[in-house]
Structure formats: C-alpha cells, structure tokens
Amino acid sequence: MIYDDDHLRGVLRELDDPESIAFPRDHARSTAPCRFEQLIRLLEERFRCVCEADRVVQDASFRGEIVVPSMATKSRERVIVRLRRRLIWGAG
C-alpha cells in the first residue's frame, strides 16, 4: 500500500508524543521481556526446534527478533518474527 506524504505526516504527528520520546506512553517495562520469552517458547514448541532470538535491539523501532530455523519449516525457509515496540508493550 502506498501513501502520500501528507497522510504519512499526519500519522507521524498523531503518534508523536514529546512527553514520551524513548518509549510509547503505554509502555509496560516489567511485562515486555516476559511476553517476548513466552512467544519464543511458544514458537519453539510449535516448530519443535530451538529458535534464535535477538533480545537486545538498540536504536530500532522493534523490540526483538526471533528466527525459526529453516530445518523446522515445511518450506525449508527460515521464518523471521520481528516484534514492534508498540505491539509487545501495549497495555493489556
């Protein structure tokens, strides 16, 4: 999907929060790592493998990355799961 510049500027202004520069306003620091680990375990159980996980992502718009190895998938292609900060740190 392609958006024009005005639409993208509007979205950025809507999401911009000068009071909360480093983390989203609804950031739940204590639960985010636990939820990330739960997802890793779930993927490992479902694919019956050990997944690689990058838990220390600096200066990025995502929280972490999980890689399901190619040998664990029917297609023999690895699966990369990248979690955006907003989704994993949401309240609830």
Side-chain angles (χ1 to χ4, degrees), residues 47-63:
F47 284 93
R48 296 185 186 122
C49 68
V50 175
C51 296
E52 294 177 39
D54 185 356
R55 295 168 176 86
V56 186
V57 178
Q58 296 291 325
D59 300 326
S61 62
F62 58 95
R63 165 68 175 92

Side-chain angles (χ1 to χ4, degrees), residues 23 26-42 53-57 63-66 83-85 87-90:
F23 300 101
D26 58 356
H27 170 65
R29 260 195 171 148
S30 61
T31 60
C34 180
R35 292 172 69 191
F36 188 71
E37 294 301 319
Q38 287 173 346
L39 180 58
I40 294 168
R41 284 194 306 274
L42 176 67
D54 185 356
R55 295 168 176 86
V56 186
V57 178
R63 165 68 175 92
E65 185 174 88
I66 305 166
L83 295 143
R84 293 179 358 153
R85 291 187 184 279
L87 295 178
I88 197 162
W89 285 340

Side-chain angles (χ1 to χ4, degrees), residues 3-11 13:
Y3 296 103
D4 63 23
D5 290 346
D6 290 334
H7 175 77
L8 293 175
R9 246 185 249 107
V11 170
R13 281 192 192 108

